[in-house]
Amino acid sequence: MNSSTINSFPSGASGHGTVTRQCVRDLRRALGRERVLATPEELIAYEYDGTIERGKPQAVVFPETTAQVAAAVRVARRFDVPVIPRGAGTGLSGGAVATVGGVVVALTRMKRILEVDPENRFAVVEPGVVNLDLSRAVASHGLYYAPDPSSQRACTIGGNVAENAGGPHCLAYGATTNHVLGMEIVLSDGEIVQIGGRSRDVPGYDLTGAFVGSEGTLAIATKIVVRLMRMPESTRTLLAIFDVLDDASNAVSSIIGDGMLPSALEMMDRNIIAAVEPVIHSGFPLDAGAVLLIEVDGLDEATREQAAEIERICTRHGAREVRLAVDPPDRERLWAGRKTSISALGRLYPNYYVLDGVVPRTRLPGVLRQTYAIADAHGLAVANVFHAGDGNLHPNLLFDEREAGVLTRVLDAGAEIMRLCVAAGGSITGEHGVGLEKRDFIGWIFSESDLAAMAKLKTAFAAGDRYNPCKVFPTHRGCGEVTSARAQATAAAVGGDVYV
Amino acid sequence: MSSVAAAPALEEFIDAVCPPIERNRVRTAGLASFEIDGDRPDIALWPATLDEVARILSEADEARLAVVPLGGTSHAALGNIPEGYDVALSTTRLDAVLEHEPADMTVSVQAGVTLASLQRLLAGHGQTLPVDAPSTDASTVGGLISSNAQGPLRHAFGTVRDWLIGTTVVHADGTVSKSGGRVVKNVAGYDMHKLYVGSLGTLGVVTEATFKLAPTPRVDQTLVARFDSPGDAGRAAHQAHDRSLAVHSLELLSPAAAQHALQIPLWCLLVRSAGLPGAVDRSIRDLNTIVLEHRGKLDSVDAICWSAWAAMFLDPPLALRASVLPSQVAAVLEVMDRSFAGAAARASATVSAGLIRLRLEPTREERGPALIQRARDIVARFGGSVIVEAAPVSVKHAADVFGELRSDFAIMRRLKQECDPRRTLSPGRFVGRL
């Protein structure tokens, strides 16, 4: 170990420099001592996010202003160390893990809502603002922020921008990319640039659109202009109970195909119901093959018509019962069942691994059947709770990590299910991102030439591999060693507070 | 600049691309319909496959010929004057529908498919791509993407950016790349396709596109509300927007525009209320109340008036597009209407998007560049921006189509440099004459 290296990460493992004592001193000088962590004990909490991935940063900084972000980035550049932007650390693809060491820039202290313009329905926020806090802050104007990842009580808008986060209600209103108008970003040399703006149309390439979902690899967003939406005057929530899972899948296709445009359309299978119902009592029958949780919102007249038609469609597809939530507490109960689904799995198995894949909606019945078959072939149980209306699957592989060799089977089954999504014409991720977890899968859907075109965007942002190296694209020269780090990390515990 | 490519170079180029391109899909004369800003190409080609597009681009890139990709040419007036224009690459032979699974509500098409034929196909399944840019029968999907053209449906459905979920693009060196995919939700890789929307073919030639689709509304009614003052009309528009009514389009028209499209010489709101029957009934009732509260009058009109609306913005002598905050629209329109009275100004605004379209007729006293500058001065006071959607070449020589550059221009320049280092594709047409 180099005597001036702060912790045990091997110097230059990623082709980058390392965080020396002098680098930490410079970070402290630039940001203030209280905004820099660098001792091994302090750094432990920043080794992981919501996944099984692990990586030790060598310093974590907590800037409170754009100028401090820029200062930290400039110091990192001077010492040629990578910068890993981080929000609340709820990500599900290892995007905030310092996989090759470096400086984590934690944006959680930049949590001011700088401006709310109710008339023009936008807000300007710092990246550390928690998703749900934004909706709460604008509720008095009758407005809300539409993207609602299930981690919305904890996750930040900056993290949402990085991952292009979705959520149940992005079926009708789109994911984060449809709700960001512009940003202030800090480039890897510390330069501060505005992209997009408050007005809807800014001349030039849509850099905002390309930036959302770039997983922290291009720049750090320090101010974000987000669209706000008017709260609907009416919301109707239905629970459709099916004996046969395939019937539920076919009902999903019909609801969408008939143009009903629900705001949310979620499916939970028998294994999820078995985990959730005894605890939450949402009214999901234990003997059902699957339930659909369907929500429509808008004008009272519209939701009444939609709800009636959706009920007819579900019945036509063999729903045993379709129940309309009678009041807000009833609706809350139904959603509580959905939102606690995954954590409730802990009742059945000590560990679970959440997958995220997408298929065309019409392929849901076959793909779900094969998902069960794949899990079965690997001797694993699987529970499905997912955004059916988007075709966005979240199979949860259930296991006990104490069982010898089980993690290999879990990862193998996960990879097979991803292959299945790709073969069905879908994608390896609908909302969790590629990050570290799926970096080696991206070649399944994109050719070398596709990835080469994407790499041009890194050059355009002058990002090189300074921001979040070894994520998304398996290209960097030092990234080969990361795979083994991941394999080692796999031995660590899986599970915890996971939201989808 | 038909002389940029010397005749021998052109001959060599033709030899290099034919075959695979058949000679009957190459033309070196009679190219008037490909004119851009008064300039004609030396050669036009109609590739019929992705590989042929790649071949044309790599050979042109190698030979340093400037290529402008074109579809139906309905929005070819947009953009700065090309610095070079040797080759017109027409996408109109790339006209296959690649995949349409109606129940998935997505469609994949080649770029040369016309919007009209696509909408006909989709209508048969009760579906639509909800973008209604002023267009002709020849307008193509590729043209829609590269011009980011839009119409009154912007109010409820945004622009083509919000519906495009994947593209295949051929870059200047002939390499092919795709981004996105065929599923409605997908965060794998960078969303490169966002960059191609509105890029005027400066980063690559879009050859295939996949869109998500919207259902055709069951009921679709057009209404017009007339007002004595722009303030009343603007406030009524805001209230209508605020109530989240079943409204797909909500345009605020200046008296001259309303006279042209509706034969009503007053400030008007042209509204399309659409959706399920009960929701539309309720929305029209609410609209009526809002309009009355603002001393206006609401009537049903024939949907044909949308065509008259679109006609105002096809082939205009001078057309500008301003972007401001929604709350500023009425005030900006009022100033513009007064300020441009001499130039036969017709203005229409998608209030909720802060988008103002202005059609002007320059005169001897009020020439194009001066009108553009005045519009920019007005809009700058509100913090907005103005682009020139269409102008005679003489005007374009004097005024930049996209206006002032911003702090992000360096990123755009590097992007262009990366994607098209020899400046083969539509050189000079985009922001900052990229």
Short mmCIF file of all heavy atoms in Angstrom, two decimals, chain A residues 120-121 178 194 196 200-201 205-206 217 230 233 260 299 301 305 309 358 361-362 387 392 427 429 431 449-450 460, chain B residues 104 154 161-162 176-178 185-187 190 202 218 241-242 276 278-279 282-283 323 326-327 353 406-407 414 430:
data_model
loop_
_atom_site.label_atom_id
_atom_site.label_comp_id
_atom_site.label_asym_id
_atom_site.label_seq_id
_atom_site.Cartn_x
_atom_site.Cartn_y
_atom_site.Cartn_z
N ASN A 120 -46.79 28.87 -13.84
CA ASN A 120 -46.14 28.21 -14.96
C ASN A 120 -45.77 26.77 -14.67
O ASN A 120 -45.14 26.10 -15.49
CB ASN A 120 -44.90 29.00 -15.39
CG ASN A 120 -45.29 30.34 -15.97
OD1 ASN A 120 -46.05 30.39 -16.93
ND2 ASN A 120 -44.81 31.42 -15.37
N ARG A 121 -46.18 26.33 -13.51
CA ARG A 121 -46.06 24.92 -13.13
C ARG A 121 -44.65 24.37 -13.27
O ARG A 121 -44.43 23.35 -13.92
CB ARG A 121 -47.01 24.07 -13.98
CG ARG A 121 -48.45 24.33 -13.69
CD ARG A 121 -49.25 23.19 -14.24
NE ARG A 121 -50.64 23.57 -14.43
CZ ARG A 121 -51.50 22.82 -15.08
NH1 ARG A 121 -51.10 21.69 -15.62
NH2 ARG A 121 -52.75 23.19 -15.19
N ASN A 178 -39.65 13.12 -18.93
CA ASN A 178 -40.78 13.92 -19.39
C ASN A 178 -41.10 15.07 -18.44
O ASN A 178 -42.03 15.82 -18.68
CB ASN A 178 -42.02 13.04 -19.58
CG ASN A 178 -41.78 11.94 -20.60
OD1 ASN A 178 -41.57 10.80 -20.23
ND2 ASN A 178 -41.75 12.29 -21.87
N GLN A 194 -25.49 25.82 -18.19
CA GLN A 194 -26.95 25.65 -18.16
C GLN A 194 -27.37 24.85 -19.38
O GLN A 194 -26.97 25.19 -20.50
CB GLN A 194 -27.67 27.01 -18.23
CG GLN A 194 -27.06 28.12 -17.38
CD GLN A 194 -27.24 27.86 -15.90
OE1 GLN A 194 -28.25 27.29 -15.49
NE2 GLN A 194 -26.26 28.26 -15.10
N GLY A 196 -31.01 23.31 -21.29
CA GLY A 196 -32.46 23.49 -21.23
C GLY A 196 -32.78 24.81 -20.54
O GLY A 196 -31.97 25.73 -20.56
N ARG A 200 -40.14 26.13 -22.38
CA ARG A 200 -40.16 24.75 -22.86
C ARG A 200 -39.19 24.50 -24.01
O ARG A 200 -38.69 23.41 -24.17
CB ARG A 200 -41.57 24.37 -23.32
CG ARG A 200 -42.66 24.51 -22.27
CD ARG A 200 -42.41 23.59 -21.09
NE ARG A 200 -43.59 23.36 -20.28
CZ ARG A 200 -43.89 23.99 -19.16
NH1 ARG A 200 -43.08 24.92 -18.69
NH2 ARG A 200 -44.98 23.69 -18.48
N ASP A 201 -38.99 25.47 -24.86
CA ASP A 201 -38.19 25.25 -26.06
C ASP A 201 -36.95 26.12 -26.05
O ASP A 201 -37.05 27.34 -26.09
CB ASP A 201 -39.00 25.59 -27.32
CG ASP A 201 -40.26 24.75 -27.41
OD1 ASP A 201 -40.16 23.53 -27.27
OD2 ASP A 201 -41.34 25.33 -27.60
N TYR A 205 -29.45 21.30 -29.63
CA TYR A 205 -29.67 19.88 -29.34
C TYR A 205 -30.30 19.72 -27.95
O TYR A 205 -30.01 20.50 -27.04
CB TYR A 205 -28.34 19.11 -29.38
CG TYR A 205 -27.62 19.14 -30.72
CD1 TYR A 205 -26.31 19.56 -30.81
CD2 TYR A 205 -28.27 18.74 -31.88
CE1 TYR A 205 -25.64 19.58 -32.03
CE2 TYR A 205 -27.62 18.76 -33.10
CZ TYR A 205 -26.30 19.18 -33.17
OH TYR A 205 -25.65 19.20 -34.38
N ASP A 206 -31.11 18.70 -27.81
CA ASP A 206 -31.81 18.45 -26.55
C ASP A 206 -30.86 17.79 -25.55
O ASP A 206 -30.95 16.59 -25.29
CB ASP A 206 -33.03 17.57 -26.83
CG ASP A 206 -33.85 17.28 -25.59
OD1 ASP A 206 -33.57 17.89 -24.53
OD2 ASP A 206 -34.77 16.44 -25.67
N THR A 217 -22.69 9.75 -15.32
CA THR A 217 -21.46 9.59 -16.08
C THR A 217 -21.05 10.83 -16.87
O THR A 217 -19.95 10.86 -17.43
CB THR A 217 -21.59 8.43 -17.09
OG1 THR A 217 -22.67 8.73 -17.98
CG2 THR A 217 -21.85 7.11 -16.41
N ARG A 230 -50.92 19.46 -12.14
CA ARG A 230 -52.11 19.78 -11.37
C ARG A 230 -52.68 18.49 -10.77
O ARG A 230 -52.79 17.49 -11.48
CB ARG A 230 -53.12 20.44 -12.33
CG ARG A 230 -54.50 20.68 -11.82
CD ARG A 230 -54.60 21.75 -10.78
NE ARG A 230 -53.99 23.03 -11.13
CZ ARG A 230 -53.54 23.91 -10.21
NH1 ARG A 230 -53.62 23.65 -8.94
NH2 ARG A 230 -53.02 25.06 -10.61
N GLU A 233 -58.83 16.11 -10.10
CA GLU A 233 -59.99 16.33 -9.23
C GLU A 233 -60.58 15.01 -8.77
O GLU A 233 -61.31 14.95 -7.78
CB GLU A 233 -61.06 17.17 -9.94
CG GLU A 233 -61.76 16.44 -11.08
CD GLU A 233 -62.95 17.22 -11.64
OE1 GLU A 233 -62.93 18.46 -11.57
OE2 GLU A 233 -63.88 16.58 -12.15
N MET A 260 -57.63 2.93 -22.71
CA MET A 260 -58.16 3.39 -21.44
C MET A 260 -57.20 4.28 -20.65
O MET A 260 -57.58 4.99 -19.75
CB MET A 260 -58.57 2.19 -20.57
CG MET A 260 -59.91 1.61 -20.94
SD MET A 260 -61.21 2.87 -20.84
CE MET A 260 -61.43 3.25 -22.55
N LEU A 299 -60.79 14.17 -14.72
CA LEU A 299 -62.13 14.69 -14.45
C LEU A 299 -62.99 13.57 -13.89
O LEU A 299 -62.86 12.40 -14.27
CB LEU A 299 -62.77 15.18 -15.75
CG LEU A 299 -62.20 16.43 -16.40
CD1 LEU A 299 -63.05 16.81 -17.61
CD2 LEU A 299 -62.10 17.59 -15.42
N GLU A 301 -66.02 12.81 -14.45
CA GLU A 301 -66.76 12.11 -15.50
C GLU A 301 -65.87 11.11 -16.23
O GLU A 301 -66.29 10.02 -16.57
CB GLU A 301 -67.33 13.11 -16.52
CG GLU A 301 -68.50 13.95 -16.01
CD GLU A 301 -68.05 15.11 -15.14
OE1 GLU A 301 -66.83 15.23 -14.85
OE2 GLU A 301 -68.90 15.90 -14.72
N GLU A 305 -66.22 6.92 -16.33
CA GLU A 305 -66.33 6.16 -17.58
C GLU A 305 -65.20 5.14 -17.72
O GLU A 305 -65.43 3.98 -18.09
CB GLU A 305 -66.29 7.11 -18.78
CG GLU A 305 -67.56 7.92 -18.97
CD GLU A 305 -67.42 8.94 -20.11
OE1 GLU A 305 -66.62 9.89 -19.95
OE2 GLU A 305 -68.10 8.80 -21.13
N GLU A 309 -65.42 0.97 -17.79
CA GLU A 309 -64.95 0.21 -18.94
C GLU A 309 -63.85 -0.79 -18.54
O GLU A 309 -63.81 -1.92 -19.02
CB GLU A 309 -64.42 1.17 -20.02
CG GLU A 309 -63.96 0.44 -21.25
CD GLU A 309 -64.59 0.97 -22.53
OE1 GLU A 309 -65.45 1.87 -22.45
OE2 GLU A 309 -64.19 0.48 -23.59
N VAL A 358 -37.96 -5.17 -19.20
CA VAL A 358 -39.15 -4.69 -19.90
C VAL A 358 -39.44 -5.58 -21.10
O VAL A 358 -38.50 -6.00 -21.79
CB VAL A 358 -38.98 -3.25 -20.43
CG1 VAL A 358 -40.33 -2.65 -20.79
CG2 VAL A 358 -38.26 -2.38 -19.43
N ARG A 361 -46.02 -5.29 -24.00
CA ARG A 361 -47.12 -5.74 -23.12
C ARG A 361 -47.75 -7.05 -23.58
O ARG A 361 -48.12 -7.88 -22.77
CB ARG A 361 -48.19 -4.65 -23.05
CG ARG A 361 -47.78 -3.52 -22.15
CD ARG A 361 -48.74 -2.34 -22.29
NE ARG A 361 -48.49 -1.61 -23.51
CZ ARG A 361 -48.23 -0.30 -23.56
NH1 ARG A 361 -48.18 0.41 -22.46
NH2 ARG A 361 -48.03 0.30 -24.70
N THR A 362 -47.85 -7.22 -24.91
CA THR A 362 -48.51 -8.43 -25.41
C THR A 362 -47.69 -9.69 -25.12
O THR A 362 -48.19 -10.79 -25.24
CB THR A 362 -48.74 -8.34 -26.93
OG1 THR A 362 -47.51 -7.93 -27.53
CG2 THR A 362 -49.83 -7.35 -27.26
N HIS A 387 -44.94 -3.09 -12.87
CA HIS A 387 -45.68 -2.08 -13.61
C HIS A 387 -46.18 -2.72 -14.90
O HIS A 387 -45.60 -2.53 -15.97
CB HIS A 387 -44.78 -0.88 -13.89
CG HIS A 387 -44.00 -0.42 -12.69
ND1 HIS A 387 -44.60 -0.09 -11.49
CD2 HIS A 387 -42.68 -0.24 -12.49
CE1 HIS A 387 -43.68 0.27 -10.62
NE2 HIS A 387 -42.50 0.20 -11.20
N ASN A 392 -43.17 -3.46 -17.62
CA ASN A 392 -41.93 -3.36 -16.82
C ASN A 392 -41.97 -4.36 -15.67
O ASN A 392 -42.63 -4.15 -14.66
CB ASN A 392 -41.80 -1.93 -16.29
CG ASN A 392 -40.48 -1.65 -15.58
OD1 ASN A 392 -40.32 -0.58 -15.01
ND2 ASN A 392 -39.55 -2.57 -15.60
N SER A 427 -36.12 -4.85 -23.01
CA SER A 427 -34.91 -4.18 -22.55
C SER A 427 -34.47 -4.75 -21.22
O SER A 427 -35.26 -5.32 -20.47
CB SER A 427 -35.16 -2.68 -22.42
OG SER A 427 -34.04 -2.04 -21.82
N THR A 429 -33.46 -2.99 -18.71
CA THR A 429 -33.85 -2.15 -17.57
C THR A 429 -34.91 -1.14 -17.98
O THR A 429 -34.78 -0.47 -19.00
CB THR A 429 -32.64 -1.45 -16.91
OG1 THR A 429 -33.13 -0.52 -15.93
CG2 THR A 429 -31.77 -0.71 -17.90
N GLU A 431 -36.28 1.01 -15.39
CA GLU A 431 -36.22 2.17 -14.51
C GLU A 431 -35.09 2.13 -13.49
O GLU A 431 -34.83 3.13 -12.84
CB GLU A 431 -37.56 2.37 -13.78
CG GLU A 431 -38.02 1.14 -13.01
CD GLU A 431 -39.40 1.32 -12.35
OE1 GLU A 431 -40.10 2.28 -12.69
OE2 GLU A 431 -39.74 0.48 -11.50
N SER A 449 -21.20 -0.64 -32.24
CA SER A 449 -21.40 0.63 -32.95
C SER A 449 -22.41 1.52 -32.22
O SER A 449 -22.25 2.75 -32.15
CB SER A 449 -21.82 0.28 -34.37
OG SER A 449 -22.42 1.34 -35.00
N ASP A 450 -23.45 0.91 -31.64
CA ASP A 450 -24.41 1.69 -30.84
C ASP A 450 -23.69 2.32 -29.65
O ASP A 450 -23.91 3.50 -29.32
CB ASP A 450 -25.52 0.78 -30.28
CG ASP A 450 -26.29 0.04 -31.36
OD1 ASP A 450 -26.30 0.52 -32.51
OD2 ASP A 450 -26.89 -1.01 -31.05
N ALA A 460 -18.62 14.78 -25.80
CA ALA A 460 -19.26 16.08 -25.94
C ALA A 460 -19.35 16.79 -24.58
O ALA A 460 -19.16 17.99 -24.49
CB ALA A 460 -20.66 15.92 -26.54
N ASP B 104 -49.76 -3.46 -28.45
CA ASP B 104 -48.62 -2.88 -27.74
C ASP B 104 -48.61 -1.36 -27.81
O ASP B 104 -47.84 -0.72 -27.11
CB ASP B 104 -47.31 -3.43 -28.31
CG ASP B 104 -47.01 -4.83 -27.83
OD1 ASP B 104 -47.48 -5.18 -26.73
OD2 ASP B 104 -46.32 -5.57 -28.55
N ARG B 154 -49.71 19.97 -29.37
CA ARG B 154 -48.65 20.21 -28.39
C ARG B 154 -49.22 20.42 -27.00
O ARG B 154 -48.63 20.02 -25.99
CB ARG B 154 -47.85 21.45 -28.84
CG ARG B 154 -46.90 22.02 -27.81
CD ARG B 154 -45.56 21.36 -27.91
NE ARG B 154 -44.70 21.69 -26.79
CZ ARG B 154 -43.67 22.51 -26.84
NH1 ARG B 154 -43.36 23.09 -27.98
NH2 ARG B 154 -42.92 22.74 -25.80
N ARG B 161 -40.65 14.40 -29.50
CA ARG B 161 -39.69 13.97 -28.49
C ARG B 161 -40.34 13.07 -27.45
O ARG B 161 -39.74 12.13 -26.94
CB ARG B 161 -39.12 15.21 -27.79
CG ARG B 161 -38.33 14.95 -26.55
CD ARG B 161 -38.32 16.21 -25.68
NE ARG B 161 -37.22 16.24 -24.72
CZ ARG B 161 -37.34 15.78 -23.48
NH1 ARG B 161 -38.44 15.23 -23.05
NH2 ARG B 161 -36.30 15.88 -22.66
N ASP B 162 -41.59 13.39 -27.10
CA ASP B 162 -42.27 12.65 -26.04
C ASP B 162 -42.83 11.31 -26.51
O ASP B 162 -43.32 10.53 -25.69
CB ASP B 162 -43.37 13.51 -25.44
CG ASP B 162 -42.83 14.80 -24.86
OD1 ASP B 162 -42.08 14.72 -23.88
OD2 ASP B 162 -43.09 15.89 -25.41
N VAL B 176 -23.64 2.70 -38.40
CA VAL B 176 -25.06 2.67 -38.04
C VAL B 176 -25.16 2.51 -36.53
O VAL B 176 -24.44 1.71 -35.94
CB VAL B 176 -25.75 1.48 -38.73
CG1 VAL B 176 -27.21 1.40 -38.32
CG2 VAL B 176 -25.63 1.60 -40.24
N SER B 177 -26.02 3.29 -35.91
CA SER B 177 -26.23 3.07 -34.48
C SER B 177 -27.70 3.18 -34.15
O SER B 177 -28.44 3.91 -34.80
CB SER B 177 -25.43 4.07 -33.64
OG SER B 177 -26.04 5.33 -33.65
N LYS B 178 -28.10 2.44 -33.12
CA LYS B 178 -29.48 2.59 -32.66
C LYS B 178 -29.47 2.97 -31.19
O LYS B 178 -28.49 2.74 -30.48
CB LYS B 178 -30.27 1.30 -32.90
CG LYS B 178 -29.77 0.07 -32.19
CD LYS B 178 -30.63 -1.12 -32.57
CE LYS B 178 -30.33 -2.33 -31.69
NZ LYS B 178 -28.93 -2.76 -31.68
N LYS B 185 -40.97 1.74 -21.99
CA LYS B 185 -40.20 2.19 -20.82
C LYS B 185 -38.84 1.53 -20.92
O LYS B 185 -38.76 0.31 -21.04
CB LYS B 185 -40.94 1.74 -19.57
CG LYS B 185 -40.55 2.44 -18.30
CD LYS B 185 -41.48 1.97 -17.21
CE LYS B 185 -41.08 2.52 -15.87
NZ LYS B 185 -41.86 1.86 -14.81
N ASN B 186 -37.78 2.31 -20.88
CA ASN B 186 -36.48 1.75 -21.19
C ASN B 186 -35.42 2.76 -20.77
O ASN B 186 -35.41 3.88 -21.26
CB ASN B 186 -36.42 1.50 -22.70
CG ASN B 186 -35.16 0.77 -23.12
OD1 ASN B 186 -34.32 0.43 -22.31
ND2 ASN B 186 -35.05 0.54 -24.42
N VAL B 187 -34.54 2.38 -19.86
CA VAL B 187 -33.49 3.32 -19.47
C VAL B 187 -32.08 2.77 -19.76
O VAL B 187 -31.11 3.18 -19.15
CB VAL B 187 -33.61 3.74 -17.98
CG1 VAL B 187 -34.90 4.48 -17.74
CG2 VAL B 187 -33.51 2.55 -17.03
N TYR B 190 -27.63 5.70 -23.15
CA TYR B 190 -28.04 7.10 -23.28
C TYR B 190 -29.19 7.21 -24.28
O TYR B 190 -29.22 6.49 -25.28
CB TYR B 190 -26.88 7.95 -23.81
CG TYR B 190 -25.68 8.04 -22.91
CD1 TYR B 190 -24.40 8.18 -23.45
CD2 TYR B 190 -25.80 8.02 -21.52
CE1 TYR B 190 -23.28 8.28 -22.64
CE2 TYR B 190 -24.67 8.12 -20.70
CZ TYR B 190 -23.42 8.25 -21.27
OH TYR B 190 -22.32 8.35 -20.47
N THR B 202 -28.09 17.07 -38.67
CA THR B 202 -26.68 17.45 -38.53
C THR B 202 -25.85 16.41 -37.79
O THR B 202 -24.63 16.51 -37.77
CB THR B 202 -26.54 18.80 -37.79
OG1 THR B 202 -27.29 18.72 -36.57
CG2 THR B 202 -27.07 19.94 -38.64
N ARG B 218 -62.58 9.11 -28.58
CA ARG B 218 -63.91 8.65 -29.04
C ARG B 218 -64.75 9.83 -29.49
O ARG B 218 -65.55 9.71 -30.40
CB ARG B 218 -64.61 7.93 -27.90
CG ARG B 218 -63.77 6.75 -27.45
CD ARG B 218 -64.57 5.64 -26.88
NE ARG B 218 -63.61 4.59 -26.54
CZ ARG B 218 -63.80 3.66 -25.63
NH1 ARG B 218 -64.95 3.61 -24.98
NH2 ARG B 218 -62.88 2.76 -25.39
N HIS B 241 -56.70 25.64 -18.89
CA HIS B 241 -55.56 24.74 -18.73
C HIS B 241 -55.47 24.24 -17.29
O HIS B 241 -55.20 23.08 -17.01
CB HIS B 241 -54.29 25.49 -19.13
CG HIS B 241 -53.04 24.68 -18.94
ND1 HIS B 241 -52.96 23.36 -19.29
CD2 HIS B 241 -51.83 25.02 -18.43
CE1 HIS B 241 -51.74 22.91 -19.00
NE2 HIS B 241 -51.05 23.89 -18.48
N ASP B 242 -55.73 25.14 -16.37
CA ASP B 242 -55.57 24.84 -14.96
C ASP B 242 -56.55 23.79 -14.46
O ASP B 242 -56.30 23.10 -13.49
CB ASP B 242 -55.73 26.13 -14.16
CG ASP B 242 -54.72 26.19 -13.05
OD1 ASP B 242 -53.62 25.66 -13.26
OD2 ASP B 242 -55.04 26.74 -11.99
N LEU B 276 -63.38 10.78 -23.70
CA LEU B 276 -64.61 10.01 -23.49
C LEU B 276 -65.79 10.97 -23.46
O LEU B 276 -65.66 12.14 -23.07
CB LEU B 276 -64.50 9.23 -22.18
CG LEU B 276 -63.41 8.14 -22.18
CD1 LEU B 276 -63.16 7.63 -20.77
CD2 LEU B 276 -63.80 7.00 -23.11
N GLY B 278 -68.56 11.59 -21.68
CA GLY B 278 -68.94 12.32 -20.47
C GLY B 278 -67.93 13.40 -20.12
O GLY B 278 -68.29 14.49 -19.68
N ALA B 279 -66.65 13.08 -20.31
CA ALA B 279 -65.59 14.03 -19.99
C ALA B 279 -65.63 15.23 -20.93
O ALA B 279 -65.39 16.37 -20.52
CB ALA B 279 -64.24 13.34 -20.05
N ARG B 282 -68.67 17.50 -20.01
CA ARG B 282 -68.34 18.27 -18.80
C ARG B 282 -67.33 19.38 -19.14
O ARG B 282 -67.45 20.52 -18.69
CB ARG B 282 -67.78 17.32 -17.75
CG ARG B 282 -66.77 17.88 -16.79
CD ARG B 282 -67.40 18.71 -15.67
NE ARG B 282 -66.35 19.41 -14.95
CZ ARG B 282 -65.56 18.85 -14.03
NH1 ARG B 282 -65.71 17.59 -13.71
NH2 ARG B 282 -64.63 19.57 -13.43
N SER B 283 -66.34 19.06 -19.96
CA SER B 283 -65.30 20.04 -20.30
C SER B 283 -65.90 21.22 -21.06
O SER B 283 -65.53 22.37 -20.82
CB SER B 283 -64.20 19.38 -21.13
OG SER B 283 -63.59 18.36 -20.38
N SER B 323 -40.47 31.25 -27.71
CA SER B 323 -40.72 30.44 -26.52
C SER B 323 -40.59 31.33 -25.29
O SER B 323 -39.54 31.95 -25.07
CB SER B 323 -39.69 29.30 -26.47
OG SER B 323 -39.91 28.52 -25.33
N PRO B 326 -45.54 30.29 -20.04
CA PRO B 326 -46.97 30.30 -20.36
C PRO B 326 -47.68 31.56 -19.86
O PRO B 326 -48.52 32.13 -20.57
CB PRO B 326 -47.50 29.05 -19.65
CG PRO B 326 -46.34 28.11 -19.65
CD PRO B 326 -45.12 28.97 -19.49
N SER B 327 -47.31 32.02 -18.67
CA SER B 327 -48.00 33.19 -18.10
C SER B 327 -47.72 34.46 -18.87
O SER B 327 -48.41 35.46 -18.71
CB SER B 327 -47.58 33.37 -16.63
OG SER B 327 -46.19 33.60 -16.57
N ALA B 353 -47.72 25.70 -23.44
CA ALA B 353 -46.32 25.41 -23.75
C ALA B 353 -45.49 26.69 -23.86
O ALA B 353 -44.28 26.63 -24.07
CB ALA B 353 -46.22 24.61 -25.05
N ARG B 406 -25.78 29.98 -26.15
CA ARG B 406 -25.82 29.92 -24.70
C ARG B 406 -24.60 29.16 -24.18
O ARG B 406 -23.77 28.70 -24.95
CB ARG B 406 -27.11 29.25 -24.25
CG ARG B 406 -28.36 30.03 -24.64
CD ARG B 406 -29.59 29.14 -24.77
NE ARG B 406 -29.54 27.98 -23.91
CZ ARG B 406 -30.23 27.85 -22.77
NH1 ARG B 406 -31.03 28.81 -22.38
NH2 ARG B 406 -30.13 26.75 -22.06
N SER B 407 -24.56 29.02 -22.85
CA SER B 407 -23.35 28.44 -22.25
C SER B 407 -23.16 26.97 -22.65
O SER B 407 -22.07 26.43 -22.51
CB SER B 407 -23.40 28.55 -20.73
OG SER B 407 -24.43 27.73 -20.19
N ARG B 414 -18.91 20.19 -29.62
CA ARG B 414 -18.13 18.94 -29.49
C ARG B 414 -18.94 17.74 -29.97
O ARG B 414 -18.40 16.81 -30.55
CB ARG B 414 -17.68 18.75 -28.03
CG ARG B 414 -16.54 19.67 -27.62
CD ARG B 414 -15.93 19.24 -26.29
NE ARG B 414 -16.84 19.38 -25.18
CZ ARG B 414 -16.87 20.41 -24.33
NH1 ARG B 414 -16.02 21.40 -24.48
NH2 ARG B 414 -17.73 20.44 -23.34
N PHE B 430 -27.41 24.31 -38.46
CA PHE B 430 -27.97 24.26 -37.10
C PHE B 430 -27.51 25.44 -36.25
O PHE B 430 -26.85 26.37 -36.72
CB PHE B 430 -27.61 22.91 -36.47
CG PHE B 430 -28.48 22.52 -35.33
CD1 PHE B 430 -29.86 22.51 -35.47
CD2 PHE B 430 -27.94 22.15 -34.11
CE1 PHE B 430 -30.67 22.14 -34.41
CE2 PHE B 430 -28.75 21.78 -33.05
CZ PHE B 430 -30.10 21.77 -33.19
#
